[in-house]
mmCIF file with all atom_site columns, all heavy atoms in Angstrom:
data_model
loop_
_atom_site.group_PDB
_atom_site.id
_atom_site.type_symbol
_atom_site.label_atom_id
_atom_site.label_alt_id
_atom_site.label_comp_id
_atom_site.label_asym_id
_atom_site.label_entity_id
_atom_site.label_seq_id
_atom_site.pdbx_PDB_ins_code
_atom_site.Cartn_x
_atom_site.Cartn_y
_atom_site.Cartn_z
_atom_site.occupancy
_atom_site.B_iso_or_equiv
_atom_site.pdbx_formal_charge
_atom_site.auth_seq_id
_atom_site.auth_comp_id
_atom_site.auth_asym_id
_atom_site.auth_atom_id
_atom_site.pdbx_PDB_model_num
ATOM 1  N N   . VAL A 1 95  ? -172.552 -184.779 -41.050 1.00 84.00 ? 120 VAL A N   1
ATOM 2  C CA  . VAL A 1 95  ? -171.572 -184.452 -42.069 1.00 84.00 ? 120 VAL A CA  1
ATOM 3  C C   . VAL A 1 95  ? -170.217 -184.930 -41.574 1.00 84.00 ? 120 VAL A C   1
ATOM 4  O O   . VAL A 1 95  ? -169.723 -184.469 -40.545 1.00 84.00 ? 120 VAL A O   1
ATOM 5  C CB  . VAL A 1 95  ? -171.488 -182.932 -42.348 1.00 84.00 ? 120 VAL A CB  1
ATOM 6  C CG1 . VAL A 1 95  ? -170.403 -182.644 -43.370 1.00 84.00 ? 120 VAL A CG1 1
ATOM 7  C CG2 . VAL A 1 95  ? -172.830 -182.386 -42.805 1.00 84.00 ? 120 VAL A CG2 1
ATOM 8  N N   . ASN A 1 96  ? -169.644 -185.883 -42.289 1.00 82.00 ? 121 ASN A N   1
ATOM 9  C CA  . ASN A 1 96  ? -168.273 -186.295 -42.019 1.00 82.00 ? 121 ASN A CA  1
ATOM 10 C C   . ASN A 1 96  ? -167.397 -185.390 -42.868 1.00 82.00 ? 121 ASN A C   1
ATOM 11 O O   . ASN A 1 96  ? -167.283 -185.577 -44.076 1.00 82.00 ? 121 ASN A O   1
ATOM 12 C CB  . ASN A 1 96  ? -168.062 -187.764 -42.382 1.00 82.00 ? 121 ASN A CB  1
ATOM 13 C CG  . ASN A 1 96  ? -166.654 -188.237 -42.078 1.00 82.00 ? 121 ASN A CG  1
ATOM 14 O OD1 . ASN A 1 96  ? -165.749 -187.437 -41.844 1.00 82.00 ? 121 ASN A OD1 1
ATOM 15 N ND2 . ASN A 1 96  ? -166.464 -189.538 -42.071 1.00 82.00 ? 121 ASN A ND2 1
ATOM 16 N N   . LEU A 1 97  ? -166.802 -184.399 -42.238 1.00 81.00 ? 122 LEU A N   1
ATOM 17 C CA  . LEU A 1 97  ? -166.043 -183.399 -42.983 1.00 81.00 ? 122 LEU A CA  1
ATOM 18 C C   . LEU A 1 97  ? -164.796 -183.970 -43.632 1.00 81.00 ? 122 LEU A C   1
ATOM 19 O O   . LEU A 1 97  ? -164.248 -183.368 -44.549 1.00 81.00 ? 122 LEU A O   1
ATOM 20 C CB  . LEU A 1 97  ? -165.709 -182.212 -42.087 1.00 81.00 ? 122 LEU A CB  1
ATOM 21 C CG  . LEU A 1 97  ? -166.938 -181.395 -41.698 1.00 81.00 ? 122 LEU A CG  1
ATOM 22 C CD1 . LEU A 1 97  ? -166.599 -180.391 -40.607 1.00 81.00 ? 122 LEU A CD1 1
ATOM 23 C CD2 . LEU A 1 97  ? -167.528 -180.690 -42.900 1.00 81.00 ? 122 LEU A CD2 1
ATOM 24 N N   . ALA A 1 98  ? -164.363 -185.152 -43.207 1.00 80.00 ? 123 ALA A N   1
ATOM 25 C CA  . ALA A 1 98  ? -163.233 -185.809 -43.868 1.00 80.00 ? 123 ALA A CA  1
ATOM 26 C C   . ALA A 1 98  ? -163.609 -186.232 -45.283 1.00 80.00 ? 123 ALA A C   1
ATOM 27 O O   . ALA A 1 98  ? -162.746 -186.462 -46.116 1.00 80.00 ? 123 ALA A O   1
ATOM 28 C CB  . ALA A 1 98  ? -162.759 -187.003 -43.050 1.00 80.00 ? 123 ALA A CB  1
ATOM 29 N N   . LYS A 1 99  ? -164.914 -186.340 -45.563 1.00 81.00 ? 124 LYS A N   1
ATOM 30 C CA  . LYS A 1 99  ? -165.380 -186.758 -46.887 1.00 81.00 ? 124 LYS A CA  1
ATOM 31 C C   . LYS A 1 99  ? -165.859 -185.588 -47.744 1.00 81.00 ? 124 LYS A C   1
ATOM 32 O O   . LYS A 1 99  ? -166.338 -185.791 -48.844 1.00 81.00 ? 124 LYS A O   1
ATOM 33 C CB  . LYS A 1 99  ? -166.503 -187.785 -46.723 1.00 81.00 ? 124 LYS A CB  1
ATOM 34 C CG  . LYS A 1 99  ? -166.028 -189.065 -46.066 1.00 81.00 ? 124 LYS A CG  1
ATOM 35 C CD  . LYS A 1 99  ? -167.135 -190.076 -45.958 1.00 81.00 ? 124 LYS A CD  1
ATOM 36 C CE  . LYS A 1 99  ? -166.604 -191.363 -45.334 1.00 81.00 ? 124 LYS A CE  1
ATOM 37 N NZ  . LYS A 1 99  ? -167.639 -192.385 -45.267 1.00 81.00 ? 124 LYS A NZ  1
ATOM 38 N N   . VAL A 1 100 ? -165.738 -184.380 -47.217 1.00 84.00 ? 125 VAL A N   1
ATOM 39 C CA  . VAL A 1 100 ? -166.155 -183.185 -47.946 1.00 84.00 ? 125 VAL A CA  1
ATOM 40 C C   . VAL A 1 100 ? -164.955 -182.664 -48.728 1.00 84.00 ? 125 VAL A C   1
ATOM 41 O O   . VAL A 1 100 ? -163.811 -182.760 -48.284 1.00 84.00 ? 125 VAL A O   1
ATOM 42 C CB  . VAL A 1 100 ? -166.667 -182.119 -46.943 1.00 84.00 ? 125 VAL A CB  1
ATOM 43 C CG1 . VAL A 1 100 ? -166.879 -180.776 -47.610 1.00 84.00 ? 125 VAL A CG1 1
ATOM 44 C CG2 . VAL A 1 100 ? -167.947 -182.599 -46.280 1.00 84.00 ? 125 VAL A CG2 1
ATOM 45 N N   . ASN A 1 101 ? -165.222 -182.092 -49.896 1.00 85.00 ? 126 ASN A N   1
ATOM 46 C CA  . ASN A 1 101 ? -164.156 -181.506 -50.700 1.00 85.00 ? 126 ASN A CA  1
ATOM 47 C C   . ASN A 1 101 ? -163.376 -180.503 -49.843 1.00 85.00 ? 126 ASN A C   1
ATOM 48 O O   . ASN A 1 101 ? -163.977 -179.568 -49.291 1.00 85.00 ? 126 ASN A O   1
ATOM 49 C CB  . ASN A 1 101 ? -164.763 -180.803 -51.915 1.00 85.00 ? 126 ASN A CB  1
ATOM 50 C CG  . ASN A 1 101 ? -163.726 -180.286 -52.867 1.00 85.00 ? 126 ASN A CG  1
ATOM 51 O OD1 . ASN A 1 101 ? -162.629 -179.902 -52.490 1.00 85.00 ? 126 ASN A OD1 1
ATOM 52 N ND2 . ASN A 1 101 ? -164.095 -180.258 -54.138 1.00 85.00 ? 126 ASN A ND2 1
ATOM 53 N N   . PRO A 1 102 ? -162.062 -180.675 -49.684 1.00 86.00 ? 127 PRO A N   1
ATOM 54 C CA  . PRO A 1 102 ? -161.274 -179.781 -48.835 1.00 86.00 ? 127 PRO A CA  1
ATOM 55 C C   . PRO A 1 102 ? -161.384 -178.309 -49.215 1.00 86.00 ? 127 PRO A C   1
ATOM 56 O O   . PRO A 1 102 ? -161.221 -177.438 -48.370 1.00 86.00 ? 127 PRO A O   1
ATOM 57 C CB  . PRO A 1 102 ? -159.833 -180.279 -49.019 1.00 86.00 ? 127 PRO A CB  1
ATOM 58 C CG  . PRO A 1 102 ? -159.969 -181.673 -49.504 1.00 86.00 ? 127 PRO A CG  1
ATOM 59 C CD  . PRO A 1 102 ? -161.256 -181.744 -50.266 1.00 86.00 ? 127 PRO A CD  1
ATOM 60 N N   . SER A 1 103 ? -161.692 -178.024 -50.471 1.00 89.00 ? 128 SER A N   1
ATOM 61 C CA  . SER A 1 103 ? -161.808 -176.623 -50.881 1.00 89.00 ? 128 SER A CA  1
ATOM 62 C C   . SER A 1 103 ? -162.974 -175.931 -50.172 1.00 89.00 ? 128 SER A C   1
ATOM 63 O O   . SER A 1 103 ? -162.933 -174.724 -49.943 1.00 89.00 ? 128 SER A O   1
ATOM 64 C CB  . SER A 1 103 ? -161.941 -176.506 -52.395 1.00 89.00 ? 128 SER A CB  1
ATOM 65 O OG  . SER A 1 103 ? -163.146 -177.089 -52.828 1.00 89.00 ? 128 SER A OG  1
ATOM 66 N N   . LEU A 1 104 ? -164.024 -176.679 -49.811 1.00 86.00 ? 129 LEU A N   1
ATOM 67 C CA  . LEU A 1 104 ? -165.130 -176.076 -49.089 1.00 86.00 ? 129 LEU A CA  1
ATOM 68 C C   . LEU A 1 104 ? -164.665 -175.613 -47.711 1.00 86.00 ? 129 LEU A C   1
ATOM 69 O O   . LEU A 1 104 ? -164.990 -174.516 -47.277 1.00 86.00 ? 129 LEU A O   1
ATOM 70 C CB  . LEU A 1 104 ? -166.300 -177.051 -48.954 1.00 86.00 ? 129 LEU A CB  1
ATOM 71 C CG  . LEU A 1 104 ? -167.541 -176.413 -48.319 1.00 86.00 ? 129 LEU A CG  1
ATOM 72 C CD1 . LEU A 1 104 ? -168.781 -176.830 -49.075 1.00 86.00 ? 129 LEU A CD1 1
ATOM 73 C CD2 . LEU A 1 104 ? -167.664 -176.748 -46.868 1.00 86.00 ? 129 LEU A CD2 1
ATOM 74 N N   . LEU A 1 105 ? -163.875 -176.442 -47.018 1.00 86.00 ? 130 LEU A N   1
ATOM 75 C CA  . LEU A 1 105 ? -163.367 -176.050 -45.707 1.00 86.00 ? 130 LEU A CA  1
ATOM 76 C C   . LEU A 1 105 ? -162.371 -174.906 -45.826 1.00 86.00 ? 130 LEU A C   1
ATOM 77 O O   . LEU A 1 105 ? -162.360 -173.989 -45.002 1.00 86.00 ? 130 LEU A O   1
ATOM 78 C CB  . LEU A 1 105 ? -162.735 -177.246 -45.001 1.00 86.00 ? 130 LEU A CB  1
ATOM 79 C CG  . LEU A 1 105 ? -163.694 -178.383 -44.658 1.00 86.00 ? 130 LEU A CG  1
ATOM 80 C CD1 . LEU A 1 105 ? -162.933 -179.556 -44.068 1.00 86.00 ? 130 LEU A CD1 1
ATOM 81 C CD2 . LEU A 1 105 ? -164.778 -177.917 -43.724 1.00 86.00 ? 130 LEU A CD2 1
ATOM 82 N N   . LEU A 1 106 ? -161.540 -174.945 -46.854 1.00 88.00 ? 131 LEU A N   1
ATOM 83 C CA  . LEU A 1 106 ? -160.544 -173.905 -47.060 1.00 88.00 ? 131 LEU A CA  1
ATOM 84 C C   . LEU A 1 106 ? -161.211 -172.552 -47.334 1.00 88.00 ? 131 LEU A C   1
ATOM 85 O O   . LEU A 1 106 ? -160.673 -171.502 -46.977 1.00 88.00 ? 131 LEU A O   1
ATOM 86 C CB  . LEU A 1 106 ? -159.611 -174.285 -48.207 1.00 88.00 ? 131 LEU A CB  1
ATOM 87 C CG  . LEU A 1 106 ? -158.388 -173.403 -48.415 1.00 88.00 ? 131 LEU A CG  1
ATOM 88 C CD1 . LEU A 1 106 ? -157.526 -173.359 -47.155 1.00 88.00 ? 131 LEU A CD1 1
ATOM 89 C CD2 . LEU A 1 106 ? -157.569 -173.911 -49.587 1.00 88.00 ? 131 LEU A CD2 1
ATOM 90 N N   . LYS A 1 107 ? -162.383 -172.594 -47.908 1.00 90.00 ? 132 LYS A N   1
ATOM 91 C CA  . LYS A 1 107 ? -163.135 -171.371 -48.171 1.00 90.00 ? 132 LYS A CA  1
ATOM 92 C C   . LYS A 1 107 ? -163.406 -170.596 -46.879 1.00 90.00 ? 132 LYS A C   1
ATOM 93 O O   . LYS A 1 107 ? -163.458 -169.369 -46.879 1.00 90.00 ? 132 LYS A O   1
ATOM 94 C CB  . LYS A 1 107 ? -164.453 -171.743 -48.863 1.00 90.00 ? 132 LYS A CB  1
ATOM 95 C CG  . LYS A 1 107 ? -165.339 -170.590 -49.228 1.00 90.00 ? 132 LYS A CG  1
ATOM 96 C CD  . LYS A 1 107 ? -166.569 -171.123 -49.967 1.00 90.00 ? 132 LYS A CD  1
ATOM 97 C CE  . LYS A 1 107 ? -167.537 -170.016 -50.313 1.00 90.00 ? 132 LYS A CE  1
ATOM 98 N NZ  . LYS A 1 107 ? -168.716 -170.542 -51.035 1.00 90.00 ? 132 LYS A NZ  1
#
Side-chain angles (χ1 to χ4, degrees):
V120 177
N121 182 346
L122 292 169
K124 296 182 178 182
V125 170
N126 186 328
S128 65
L129 186 136
L130 296 175
L131 189 58
K132 181 177 178 180

